[in-house]
Amino acid sequence: MRIGRPRDRAEALGIAALGIAGIAALLQSIGLLAWPAQIMLFRLAGPPVMLVTALLNWHVASRATLPAVRRHWRLMAATAALVTASYISMLAFTVYWGTPRYPTHLPAVTALDVSAIVMAVIAVLAIPAAVPWSASRLRVGLDMATVLLASTVFLWHFCIGPDLQDHTTITQVLAMLALGAGALTAVFAAARVFLAGVAGIDRRAILTLAGAGLAEVATEALRWRVSDPNPRVHPALVCAALFRVCMVAYPVAQLRAQASEADHQRPERPRRPFSILPYTAIAATYALLIASLAKNMVGRTWVVLGGTIVLTGLVVARQIVALRDNAHLVIRLDDSLNRLGRMIAREQTLASASTTLLTQRSQQEIWRFAASTAMELMSDQPGVLAAVIVPASGASGSWRVASATGHRAESLPRSAFEPPRAFGLLIPRLRIGEVIEDFDFPQICGEDAGSGDADGRPPWPGYPASTTTLLPLMAGDQFFGVLIAVSAAALPGEVRESLNTLRIQVALALASAALAQEMTRRATLDPLTGLGNRTLLWDRLSQALASGPAPNGRRTALLLLDLDGFKEINDTFGHATGDEVLRLVSERLGRCCDSPMTTVVRLGGDEFVVLVERTAGVGPVSSLAERIIAAITLPMPVCGRMVSIGVSVGVALSGPDVHLPDDLLRHADTAMYVAKRRPGSGYTVQGSEILDMTESVVSPAVIPSRNGGTADAARERSGR
């Protein structure tokens, strides 16, 4: 069961008032009630309905964000308040005099009605149109005056003049003309706003406002048309009831539009910046003049009148043609200015992107920035998508989406994918820097990309083959990936040029980031062995110690290795053999220390360091030292001969009193020299709690030897 949108209190109150007004209009149109009951229903239903209308208009004004829209709704609230006061005056007259007379010739009612119609015209003119009516307010005023005068003439000729009674005063005549002509002017203004486009007001609500104006015009036209003093159905009362229905429906329609979750915007279409309605009003007035004078005119008068009409028609036709030509020029100029504005915005975006990319050193950040900037360049296009796809590491022929943003970006595959053959054939062209247009976007991510809906609809709807552009990200011979630009409509040439400029900027930024990464890598690696160097050791060791003690008492360990007998190999067999020995030692260290928490570096000469992060204590570090000694002391083939070499290892662990890299390295160096004084290869572990260790004074309690004894015991055995 579908649950509808919940209504707020204001909307519910408006719907209730709309229901009351509709029921009253229905009862007055079918003639079930006697004339006194009709008058009483008309005057009883009016005040509450119009009071609710005034409150709703004020409530809508409080929700408006644009100042012009807020002003319009406040003026409409004032209009409804004036109409409410008019209905209250009529109700008081009926109750006081006890007569169901209609219309009511009260000066207060007439003044309130005229004030309300003037306020309504001002409110309609305050509606913010999306397209200006004309180049100046003077032209708008002249158009309004023309339509107002023509409306007054027609009302007088057809509605008011034929039905004037002898007791009708000039004030009443002027009031009826003002009400009818003002209502028609409000209808005209509402129609122009509806056709031009509305900013901040629902266009369907504007139709209800125009309906209220037409109902008021019909009320004034039919007010004197009924000769029966007690009719069963009075057309003017029916039209007045419909006026109330339209007035309360106006804010209700706006409230429903504001509360609607889906924002369905109609595409804007070019609109002429002038109106031919004033000329139509002039032509209609001429036709009325001919019809009025036709019975009493002679031939010569017809010639004069006909010539006047023809001359006026020629002048009007000439003016309309000039206005049309000017309108075309204005539209073209407006389009040119819009294109220029968009071009300047794109240039500013590219300039900002160039500055930002200079500071980016992460490939992922550059990919994300490239996708977002491409979206910004295509922001004025419908249904756009920007994505960067790159070759997947470790999988030959596979690709992955590095970054994507825009329409249906969430449906792109997040893991590595195998593109179909159609895209595979384009890869050689992309790798030489060719920009490919008019490609079918779903073919990039495979036939199953986006896997259509359960009802069988095809995946990736709305992307014609002619709207996808593939821009390779290349700098020199380096190929980094592909920038994809997709749009539901064909991309203009200037947008594609901007995307191509962005492609070059992104490719240069990626090349710069890759160069910086390579320089960083070379700065932290030993060129002979490929291991890390002192810079890498210092960086990793500083980070490990700065993070503080690890959970479960885990500590940082440092193993300092010094090769025994390396100088003799260098002196005997030459530096080439010595370099090969260092490379073989590095390979064996790499195989022994393959944990992600272990870093192997060469300090220089024949000294190596193994950094172990978050070790459980002395036991695991001792086992690692034994494996290293066993691996390095094995004979190694070098330059056609077998060479053996020894190694002495000093081990130090971090603790509460050792939190600087220099301290830990000094302790490891001290322990290494203790191990080196013993014959053969071996290791010595020094705890962080011993801070005053020297070559001559060694605490036998805390420096165990490889064989489980102390360093002093080992030295004593060596002396014997």
Side-chain angles (χ1 to χ4, degrees), residues 342-643:
R342 291 192 294 267
M343 186 181 303
I344 293 174
R346 284 193 292 269
E347 291 298 327
Q348 292 175 343
T349 300
L350 291 174
S352 176
S354 177
T355 304
T356 305
L357 287 171
L358 288 175
T359 62
Q360 298 290 341
R361 289 294 177 264
S362 168
Q363 281 191 341
Q364 187 60 45
E365 290 297 326
I366 294 175
W367 290 331
R368 188 180 299 110
F369 183 78
S372 62
T373 305
M375 274 291 297
E376 189 173 351
L377 294 175
M378 299 186 295
S379 59
D380 56 343
Q381 303 298 313
V384 292
L385 167 73
V388 176
I389 62 172
V390 298
S393 58
S396 177
S398 297
W399 293 70
R400 68 181 181 89
V401 179
S403 181
T405 180
H407 182 59
R408 292 179 59 87
E410 68 280 356
S411 300
L412 282 172
R414 296 302 176 186
S415 57
F417 59 88
E418 294 286 342
R421 183 173 179 272
F423 179 70
L425 295 176
L426 299 178
I427 294 178
R429 296 166 57 187
L430 293 170
R431 287 188 176 275
I432 62 175
E434 180 181 352
V435 177
I436 299 176
E437 300 175 351
D438 303 335
F439 187 74
D440 191 5
F441 179 68
Q443 294 185 11
I444 297 176
C445 300
E447 297 177 355
D448 296 332
S451 64
D453 298 333
D455 56 2
R457 287 179 294 180
W460 292 95
Y463 288 111
S466 61
T467 61
T468 303
T469 304
L470 307 180
L471 302 106
L473 302 175
M474 286 197 63
D477 295 334
Q478 293 178 289
F479 178 76
F480 299 101
V482 181
L483 174 62
I484 303 170
V486 187
S487 174
L491 292 175
E494 57 268 20
V495 175
R496 298 193 182 194
E497 292 177 3
S498 299
L499 289 172
N500 191 50
T501 303
L502 176 64
R503 170 185 76 91
I504 297 173
Q505 293 177 344
V506 172
L508 292 176
L510 288 171
S512 177
L515 179 60
Q517 291 176 0
E518 178 62 20
M519 293 177 64
T520 302
R521 187 187 68 83
R522 292 184 180 183
T524 57
L525 291 183
D526 176 60
L528 175 63
T529 62
L531 297 177
N533 58 13
R534 186 183 296 270
T535 302
L536 179 64
L537 172 65
W538 199 261
D539 181 65
R540 298 280 177 87
L541 184 56
S542 299
Q543 293 180 13
L545 295 177
S547 61
N552 301 324
R554 293 181 176 271
R555 304 155 69 183
T556 300
L558 198 67
L559 287 76
L560 180 60
L561 288 68
D562 185 82
L563 300 182
D564 298 331
F566 177 74
K567 185 177 182 303
E568 288 76 7
I569 294 177
N570 242 353
D571 295 340
T572 304
F573 302 109
H575 290 286
T577 302
D579 291 346
E580 183 64 23
V581 169
L582 292 176
R583 281 191 287 268
L584 290 174
V585 169
S586 301
E587 292 177 2
R588 294 182 179 185
L589 281 175
R591 289 193 294 268
C592 292
C593 307
D594 56 354
S595 169
M597 302 303 294
T598 304
T599 303
V600 182
V601 302
R602 180 189 175 210
L603 283 184
D606 60 349
E607 286 188 334
F608 296 83
V609 171
V610 178
L611 172 64
V612 183
E613 301 179 42
R614 299 188 178 185
T615 181
V618 176
V621 177
S622 299
S623 300
L624 177 61
E626 292 174 355
R627 292 199 304 271
I628 291 174
I629 294 172
I632 293 178
T633 54
L634 288 175
M636 57 187 72
V638 179
C639 300
R641 61 179 63 87
M642 299 299 294
V643 176

Side-chain angles (χ1 to χ4, degrees), residues 173-344:
V173 172
L174 292 177
M176 288 185 288
L177 287 174
L179 291 172
L184 276 178
T185 304
V187 172
F188 161 72
R192 293 195 67 174
V193 170
F194 177 81
L195 294 175
V198 187
I201 301 179
D202 185 63
R203 296 181 69 181
R204 291 170 294 185
I206 293 291
L207 293 178
T208 63
L209 182 60
L214 291 175
E216 178 61 23
V217 172
T219 300
E220 297 304 321
L222 299 172
R223 191 186 295 267
W224 307 96
R225 285 286 175 173
V226 178
S227 58
D228 187 358
N230 297 311
R232 300 296 294 181
V233 177
H234 198 304
L237 286 184
V238 176
C239 293
L242 292 177
F243 166 79
R244 292 198 300 258
V245 171
C246 293
M247 284 293 289
V248 73
Y250 182 39
V252 171
Q254 180 65 20
L255 284 173
R256 291 178 64 85
Q258 288 178 348
S260 177
E261 295 180 0
D263 184 19
H264 302 289
Q265 296 183 350
R266 298 181 181 180
E268 293 293 333
R269 57 184 178 88
R271 306 181 189 279
R272 59 172 182 246
F274 67 94
S275 173
I276 63 171
L277 191 56
Y279 305 104
T280 305
I282 293 174
T285 306
Y286 270 117
L288 179 61
L289 175 63
I290 293 173
S292 301
L293 301 178
K295 296 180 180 180
N296 301 319
M297 291 180 62
V298 297
R300 288 179 300 174
T301 308
W302 275 108
V303 172
V304 175
L305 181 60
T308 303
I309 293 174
V310 171
L311 287 175
T312 305
L314 291 175
V315 173
V316 170
R318 185 260 178 201
Q319 185 68 11
I320 290 177
V321 171
L323 288 174
R324 185 189 61 184
D325 294 340
N326 290 339
H328 291 164
L329 289 176
V330 169
I331 291 174
R332 287 199 296 269
L333 178 61
D334 187 60
D335 290 341
S336 299
L337 290 176
N338 288 336
R339 285 198 301 269
L340 179 61
R342 291 192 294 267
M343 186 181 303
I344 293 174

